[in-house]
Amino acid sequence: MPEYDFETYPTGEDAMAEYLQERKAEGKPMTREEGETYIAWNTAKAQEMGERIARMTPEEERGKGGLDGLDEAMSAQFDLEEARFKVQALVEAAEDAERIAQGRRPVKRERDIIAPEGFSGMGVTPRGW
């Protein structure tokens, strides 16, 4: 498996989207393999941050210089997750393109399901359950 320096990749949904667009414009879009490797790295990094947050002492939670350490750590973890979602959408689009090329239908994902305005879906179960 190739080695990538994911520490230098942007975090946050907008920054990652911009980075992916720049790479595509340069003619070097993120490959499916690189995206899957990034997702695995990002998941491990987010888990590591979650464990670090769980071990924080009250002093660390309050942070230094009047900044809230817990809020900063949680924000960094959420930024990582948002970036992962952007890359995951790219990987899923590549998977759908492969399925279409094989003459198969793309996978229907939860985000593809559109409900009528004002319909929350509360209390509704999918068919076959």
Side-chain angles (χ1 to χ4, degrees):
M1 179 168 29
E3 290 294 321
Y4 300 103
D5 180 19
F6 293 123
E7 295 287 342
T8 62
Y9 281 48
T11 58
E13 185 175 9
D14 295 334
M16 181 56 86
E18 187 176 316
Y19 171 76
L20 293 172
Q21 288 173 352
E22 287 173 4
R23 280 191 59 167
K24 190 174 184 179
E26 292 171 359
K28 297 183 275 184
M30 183 179 274
T31 64
R32 181 176 177 182
E33 178 186 273
E34 184 180 2
E36 289 171 345
T37 306
Y38 174 81
I39 291 168
W41 172 86
N42 184 301
T43 302
K45 185 80 171 171
Q47 183 178 359
E48 175 187 315
M49 290 178 79
E51 291 169 358
R52 193 176 325 142
I53 288 168
R55 291 190 312 263
M56 277 185 154
T57 64
E59 294 79 30
E60 290 173 325
E61 286 180 9
R62 280 188 236 104
K64 299 174 186 168
L67 299 174
D68 192 352
L70 182 59
D71 282 349
E72 286 181 7
M74 293 293 288
S75 177
Q77 187 177 21
F78 290 138
D79 286 346
L80 266 176
E81 290 174 0
E82 289 174 357
R84 181 176 68 238
F85 295 146
K86 275 293 178 197
V87 174
Q88 195 159 3
L90 179 132
V91 168
E92 289 170 355
E95 179 185 348
D96 288 345
E98 289 173 6
R99 289 177 64 88
I100 290 169
Q102 296 169 354
R104 298 172 24 201
R105 294 173 56 178
V107 175
K108 184 166 237 167
R109 296 180 174 82
E110 186 176 344
R111 70 171 180 273
D112 298 331
I113 300 170
I114 300 171
E117 191 172 332
F119 178 73
S120 70
M122 294 289 291
V124 177
T125 58
R127 274 189 271 180
W129 277 40

